[in-house]
């Protein structure tokens, strides 16, 4: 029978899984407390990094409908619960893991879909949402500018064509 503390921990973890856009499981064996503090700071306000107990986290994940991570709950595990842009958090984890090889990215889940460690690294290689949106806006603006130029060109071309026809008719009329 679970103790009230364990039940509260499971409920808190379940809520964290349900309220986050993504969750990334990591192994932190060999990292110091200072390094973990640095990692938490690098994740910023978009993610909460928590050292968790495997059995309680597995139960909470299953209750939240996430079963794809079950095999990764072994060894010292910490979870980054991402509430903001998952790309930024994936980049922060990847960059920290490059500097600190003791941090191992195990797996994750994004919008209910399981991600492998390689998938998370690919996610980290994407540009942030803001950059992608600005590129899209730039592309739309460029197309609008092209359309505006085309629409302006049509009447002026028509006017030049009519003027050329008048000049030609006047020339032909004056030659007779």
């Amino acid at each position: 029978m679970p103790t009230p503390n364990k039940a509260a921990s499971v409920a808190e973890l379940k809520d964290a899984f349900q309220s986050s856009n993504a969750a990334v499981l990591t192994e932190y064996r060999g990292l110091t407390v200072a390094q973990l503090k640095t990692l938490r700071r690098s994740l910023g306000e978009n993610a909460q990094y928590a050292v968790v107990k495997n059995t309680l986290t597995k139960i909470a994940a299953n209750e939240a409908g996430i079963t794809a991570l079950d095999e990764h709950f072994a060894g010292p595990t910490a979870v980054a619960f991402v509430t903001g842009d998952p790309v930024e958090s994936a980049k922060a984890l990847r960059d920290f893991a490059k500097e600190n090889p003791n941090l191992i990215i195990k797996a994750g889940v994004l919008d209910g879909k399981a991600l492998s460690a390689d998938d998370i690294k690919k996610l980290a290689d994407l540009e942030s949402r803001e950059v992608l949106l600005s590129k899209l806006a730039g592309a739309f603006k460029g197309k609008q500018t092209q359309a505006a130029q085309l629409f302006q060109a049509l009447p002026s071309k028509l006017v030049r064509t009519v003027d050329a026809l008048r000049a030609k008719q006047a020339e032909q009329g004056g030659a007779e």
Side-chain angles (χ1 to χ4, degrees), residues 22-73:
V24 180
L25 270 59
T26 63
E27 183 176 319
Y28 64 93
R29 186 187 329 248
L31 292 176
T32 65
V33 172
Q35 289 171 322
L36 287 174
K37 190 174 182 181
T38 303
L39 174 59
R40 284 186 177 102
R41 257 189 265 125
S42 71
L43 288 171
E45 296 177 10
N46 292 333
Q48 175 189 354
Y49 190 74
V51 174
V52 296
K53 291 191 175 208
N54 289 327
T55 53
L56 298 179
T57 308
K58 184 177 178 179
I59 293 168
N62 288 335
E63 286 182 8
I66 301 168
T67 57
L69 301 176
D70 287 355
E71 67 191 55
H72 299 287
F73 291 114

Side-chain angles (χ1 to χ4, degrees), residues 116-132:
S116 67
D118 289 336
D119 292 337
I120 294 168
K121 289 175 185 168
K122 287 176 188 173
L123 183 66
D125 291 336
L126 290 176
E127 292 175 330
S128 71
R129 183 176 189 271
E130 288 76 22
V131 171
L132 292 173

Side-chain angles (χ1 to χ4, degrees), residues 10-23 48 64 81-83:
V10 168
E12 186 178 327
L13 288 167
K14 177 184 173 187
D15 184 50
F17 274 113
Q18 289 175 333
S19 64
S20 61
N21 300 337
Q48 175 189 354
F81 294 105
V82 181
T83 54

